[in-house]
Amino acid sequence: MEKIGKNGKPLRHLMTPLDMSVEELEELFDLAEKIKNDPDGYAHICDRKKLATCFYEPSTRTRLSFETAMLDLGGKVIGFSDASSSSASKGESVSDTIRVISCFADICAMRHPKEGAPMVAAGRSTIPVINAGDGGHQHPTQTLTDMLTIRSLKGSLDGFTIGLCGDLKFGRTVHSLVNAMLRYPANKYVFISPEELKIPSYLRAKLIEMKVDFKEVERLEDVLPSLDLLYMTRVQRERFFNEEDYVRLKDFYVLNKKKLELAPKDMLVLHPLPRVNEISVEVDDDPRAVYFKQVQYGVYVRQALIVTLLGLV
Ligand code: CP
């Protein structure tokens, strides 16, 4: 049965990119482009609305991007950026917290180190809940950001050879992006990682079942000439069980100017950020490096998402 939110409209959450159909995603991206091209036209659409950012895990981009998005739509922002400054530190459950937040705000973006925590919150909420990253599981708004960037800069989301490089085991942005892009059937995937950081077995099984064209390799240099898109990722220190393994693997890949010479002239280099050492700073000036443009697209797509989930369009 459809749940009605406290604003009297059907209640929708975003837990994974698959919560939106391909058609809905296209509408969302079109709206994001409209907002990008006409910011003044949307500057008051969220007047008197409040966004709560409930971040139980550190963030720079996602939280501030959500907050910028809401402020630029005319809304207001409340929230916390650290579990220790919330009543979670006194033992309050996510379910109770969201019931309280539902009294204060109109929409909530939640990041949590535990996989599934935003989904638990969504089950008790009377306002839309957006998963802003849950453990090593999903990061749907990063995926929307990545997809809008690709669509805007390449003109399409289909027909590409996509390289994903680095920590493919713990990298939630990789899991979310691949799951979403699988709905565009002409894409091929090259997973580039050390043995220990290969894609999770559930994802490999899904790729095989769907008869997707993919391969898993270790050397970035060997596959660079064949890629249309290269999605670099950080080795996720916070998800390792021991420091020794992290230290051994953290600099396994370093994309520098010399390696980039092997890549096509129109390949895009994406990265969800934060970067540590996996892309040399010297690469930043290469026109193929679009990871800072990606951040700006993240604001537009979050604006479009807020407006859509609040039922304002
Ligand atoms: N891309 C991303 O999720 O960055 P933050 O951890 O800084 O939010």
Side-chain angles (χ1 to χ4, degrees), residues 59-62 111 139 142 272-274:
S59 166
T60 297
R61 265 148 303 277
T62 310
R111 171 171 289 190
H139 192 346
Q142 182 63 49
L273 305 178

Side-chain angles (χ1 to χ4, degrees), residues 5 7 41 71 104 139 173 191 205 217 249 264 300:
N7 63 359
L71 293 172
F104 301 150
H139 192 346
T173 59
F191 297 104
V217 301
L249 294 169
Y300 302 133

Side-chain angles (χ1 to χ4, degrees), residues 246-264:
Y246 169 71
V247 169
R248 185 166 50 80
L249 294 169
K250 72 183 172 64
D251 294 327
F252 204 90
Y253 299 106
V254 180
L255 181 67
N256 54 26
K257 256 186 165 169
K258 191 162 166 36
K259 275 186 209 155
L260 203 52
E261 281 171 18
L262 299 168

